[in-house]
């Protein structure tokens, strides 16, 4: 089964019949799939201002170790830009494909050094098959293992890291931004990526502008320290935004799977919190609602939550929620548990 990243099944195409169709009707009636142009205009303006002010401050401060504070601030801005690119890819911002692709490449490739096309393909496969051990690239056993079956079959680095992955998880997240950049460069160097030259040119522009600014303003040693801290915090922020959503939830294998509603709800976890958590995680804390309705503007997810939760209660579908710290604890306990076969070997 393939599900386009920007859309969810309509009532007529619901895999499993009536449950999702009825929930979608209620969501439609509440107007929660309507676009929020004012919200996204304000978000674009705020982030654009943050980028300009952040780099202007960087230049004004000059070559001083206080720039490590700037490195952290700009890392937060980069992460928020990546979260905005996520919304653009899901067509939460623009209804049609072309403006979404233009904005996505400007924010993703030029803004943060991430190949929009590569990431979109990867994320599409995740949404189509969340937590499916053979089909979801986010739970493939590359360095980490996500089930005891994966642990038993692990080899190479995954075999060693899997033993202690609960302890190594957060340190490894500091490398996630570097992994994002490297994977993006690899994607544009291989044939097959749509608009490969455009994506490559925008990526090159990002790296040239970023490195030129850093090495022009800062001394070489400070420049290296700035880059390492900036990219480490950027990666950690991104990882912490995505980690609570599926880690420690049931995984799927083989060809048999539940219907669309249950597949998306039972493999996802919401993170409870107020407006600060909503902004910090870019709405990804409403992961259940996002997976059910990926094109729903993230500003509407909070309103959709009680409707989806109550509907799941009506249908007897388990609806998982946890606090932010609790969600990380669950994920780490799960990772420690799945590494047991490797520690026992």
């Amino acid at each position: 089964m393939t599900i386009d990243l920007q859309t969810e099944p309509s009532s007529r195409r619901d895999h499993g019949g009536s449950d999702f169709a009825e929930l979608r009707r209620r969501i439609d009636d509440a107007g929660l799939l309507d676009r929020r142009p004012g919200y996204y205009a304000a978000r674009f303006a705020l982030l654009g201002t943050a980028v300009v002010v952040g780099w202007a401050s960087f230049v004004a401060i000059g070559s001083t170790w206080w720039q490590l504070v700037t490195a952290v601030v700009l890392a937060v801005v980069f992460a928020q830009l990546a979260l905005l690119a996520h919304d653009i890819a899901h067509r939460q911002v623009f209804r049609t494909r072309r403006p979404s692709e233009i904005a996505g490449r400007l924010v993703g490739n030029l803004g943060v050094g991430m190949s929009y096309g590569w990431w979109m393909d990867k994320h599409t496969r995740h949404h189509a098959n969340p937590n499916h051990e053979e089909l979801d690239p986010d739970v493939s056993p590359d360095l980490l293992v996500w089930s005891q079956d994966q642990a038993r079959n692990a080899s190479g680095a995954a075999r060693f890291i899997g033993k202690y992955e609960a302890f190594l998880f957060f340190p490894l997240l500091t490398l996630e931004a570097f992994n994002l950049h490297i994977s993006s460069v690899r994607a544009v160097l291989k044939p097959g990526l749509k608009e490969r030259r455009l994506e490559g040119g925008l990526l090159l522009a990002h790296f040239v502008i970023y490195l030129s600014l850093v090495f022009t303003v800062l001394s070489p040693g400070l420049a290296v320290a700035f880059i390492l801290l900036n990219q480490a915090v950027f990666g950690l922020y991104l990882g912490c935004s995505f980690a609570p959503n599926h880690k420690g939830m049931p995984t799927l294998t083989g060809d048999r799977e539940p219907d669309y509603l249950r597949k998306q709800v039972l493999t996802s976890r919401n993170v409870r919190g107020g407006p600060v958590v909503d902004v910090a995680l870019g709405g990804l804390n409403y992961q259940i609602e996002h997976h059910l309705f990926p094109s729903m503007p993230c500003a509407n997810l909070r309103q959709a939550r009680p409707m989806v939760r109550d509907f799941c209660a009506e249908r007897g579908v388990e609806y998982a929620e946890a606090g932010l710290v609790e969600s990380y604890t669950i994920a780490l306990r799960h990772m420690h548990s799945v590494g047991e076969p490797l520690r026992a070997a």
Side-chain angles (χ1 to χ4, degrees):
M1 179 182 66
T2 301
I3 302 173
D4 185 64
L5 176 62
Q6 294 87 3
T7 60
E8 56 280 340
S10 67
S11 300
R12 290 175 295 175
R13 294 185 289 120
D14 177 31
H15 297 267
S18 62
D19 282 348
F20 178 75
E22 171 60 21
L23 175 60
R24 183 185 173 91
R25 184 189 64 78
R26 298 184 190 183
I27 293 293
D28 268 331
D29 289 347
L32 295 178
L33 293 175
D34 296 345
R35 294 295 183 271
R36 295 285 300 272
Y39 165 80
Y40 278 110
R43 192 166 163 190
F44 269 99
L46 287 171
L47 280 175
T49 301
V51 170
V52 172
V53 171
W55 283 113
S57 299
F58 171 83
V59 173
I61 292 170
S63 188
T64 166
W65 286 98
W66 283 107
Q67 290 284 21
L68 297 185
V69 176
T70 313
V72 173
V73 172
L74 285 171
V76 173
V77 174
F78 285 154
Q80 285 292 322
L81 285 172
L83 291 171
L84 179 59
H86 168 270
D87 289 8
I88 294 169
H90 280 294
R91 293 199 203 165
Q92 296 176 19
V93 183
F94 305 102
R95 187 178 300 276
T96 56
R97 182 182 299 274
R98 189 57 182 164
S100 297
E101 290 178 343
I102 293 170
R105 290 190 174 102
L106 288 174
V107 175
N109 292 58
L110 183 61
V112 298
M114 173 190 76
S115 167
Y116 174 81
W118 162 78
W119 178 86
M120 187 171 170
D121 173 72
K122 177 175 177 287
H123 199 59
T124 297
R125 289 183 282 130
H126 162 69
H127 267 263
N129 298 282
N131 265 22
H132 194 294
E133 292 185 25
E134 292 101 41
L135 302 175
D136 182 355
D138 289 352
V139 292
S140 60
D142 296 325
L143 288 179
L144 304 175
V145 292
W146 305 108
S147 71
Q148 292 197 350
D149 284 341
Q150 286 185 346
R152 293 186 186 96
N153 296 314
S155 59
R159 187 167 186 84
F160 172 77
I161 293 175
K163 293 181 183 180
Y164 314 107
E165 63 183 16
F167 302 99
L168 296 173
F169 181 64
F170 285 111
L172 285 172
L173 287 183
T174 62
L175 302 176
E176 184 57 30
F178 296 103
N179 177 57
L180 192 73
H181 299 319
I182 292 169
S183 297
S184 296
V185 171
R186 286 177 175 170
V188 300
L189 291 177
K190 293 190 300 185
L193 183 70
K194 184 180 178 181
E195 302 282 2
R196 186 161 69 102
R197 291 184 178 180
L198 175 60
E199 292 228 4
L202 290 171
L203 277 179
L204 180 61
H206 168 84
F207 295 133
V208 168
I209 294 170
Y210 177 88
L211 294 174
S212 296
L213 276 170
V214 172
F215 280 99
T216 298
V217 172
L218 305 181
S219 64
L222 181 54
V224 171
F226 178 94
I227 292 170
L228 291 176
L229 180 61
N230 176 247
Q231 295 299 304
V233 175
F234 176 28
L236 183 64
Y237 191 148
L238 276 186
C240 287
S241 298
F242 286 91
N245 304 329
H246 301 281
K247 309 312 180 194
M249 298 302 294
T251 58
L252 304 173
T253 57
D255 296 329
R256 297 187 64 184
E257 60 182 30
D259 61 78
Y260 179 78
L261 174 80
R262 288 160 180 80
K263 178 171 68 172
Q264 302 298 343
V265 174
L266 296 177
T267 59
S268 303
R269 177 193 302 110
N270 277 11
V271 177
R272 290 189 295 267
V276 173
V277 173
D278 291 0
V279 172
L281 300 186
L284 294 179
N285 46 312
Y286 302 108
Q287 190 69 190
I288 293 172
E289 289 72 29
H290 171 60
H291 261 259
L292 287 170
F293 303 100
S295 63
M296 179 184 291
C298 71
N300 292 346
L301 294 171
R302 173 179 280 272
Q303 295 171 264
R305 171 183 166 271
M307 296 177 64
V308 173
R309 182 192 57 202
D310 292 348
F311 184 85
C312 288
E314 290 175 19
R315 296 300 194 271
V317 178
E318 185 176 353
Y319 182 97
E321 283 190 306
L324 184 61
V325 175
E326 181 187 5
S327 69
Y328 295 132
T329 302
I330 293 170
L332 292 175
R333 284 176 177 168
H334 171 74
M335 285 187 276
H336 189 67
S337 173
V338 300
E340 176 59 32
L342 292 171
R343 293 191 298 274

